[in-house]
């Protein structure tokens, strides 16, 4: 198998926002980092899907929940040369 310089996970769910997620944003980033990935895209389920975000929250609070998951993974990756996209 050919080695690639940029190996990205393009579809990852965290347990902060996706009901199917088993790991925190930081744990997900660390797992891909440990596996040799250059980065990841957080694609948590949105509100009409398999979401773990409380649907009774005001809209702005729901959106903050999704943003916080991204920010947590991005903060973990700071200074490691690992890219986290939202």
């Amino acid at each position: 198998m050919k080695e690639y310089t940029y190996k990205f996970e393009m579809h990852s769910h965290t347990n902060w926002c996706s009901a199917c997620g088993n790991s925190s944003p930081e744990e997900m980033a660390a797992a891909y980092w440990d596996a040799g990935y250059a980065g990841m895209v957080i694609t948590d389920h949105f509100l009409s899907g398999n979401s773990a975000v409380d649907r009774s929250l005001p809209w702005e609070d729901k959106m903050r929940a999704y943003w916080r998951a991204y920010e947590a993974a991005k903060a973990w990756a700071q200074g490691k040369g690992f890219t986290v996209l939202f």
Side-chain angles (χ1 to χ4, degrees), residues 31-76:
Y32 288 115
W33 167 258
D34 290 344
Y37 282 69
M40 65 185 286
V41 181
I42 294 182
T43 58
D44 283 322
H45 288 289
F46 200 58
L47 299 173
S48 62
N50 194 22
S51 178
V53 175
D54 183 353
R55 292 183 176 133
S56 69
L57 291 171
W59 180 257
E60 193 169 316
D61 293 341
K62 291 176 200 174
M63 296 308 102
R64 279 194 186 113
Y66 287 97
W67 189 251
R68 277 193 299 267
Y70 157 72
E71 285 185 323
K74 187 175 179 180
W76 178 90

Side-chain angles (χ1 to χ4, degrees), residues 6-14 16 24-33 37-44 66-86:
Y6 300 106
K7 187 167 143 181
F8 270 73
E9 171 56 46
M10 298 301 293
H11 189 105
S12 59
H13 297 169
T14 72
W16 287 16
S24 71
E26 299 93 340
E27 291 168 335
M28 292 298 293
Y32 288 115
W33 167 258
Y37 282 69
M40 65 185 286
V41 181
I42 294 182
T43 58
D44 283 322
Y66 287 97
W67 189 251
R68 277 193 299 267
Y70 157 72
E71 285 185 323
K74 187 175 179 180
W76 178 90
Q78 187 78 27
K80 292 181 174 69
F82 184 81
T83 302
V84 178
L85 301 175
F86 183 65

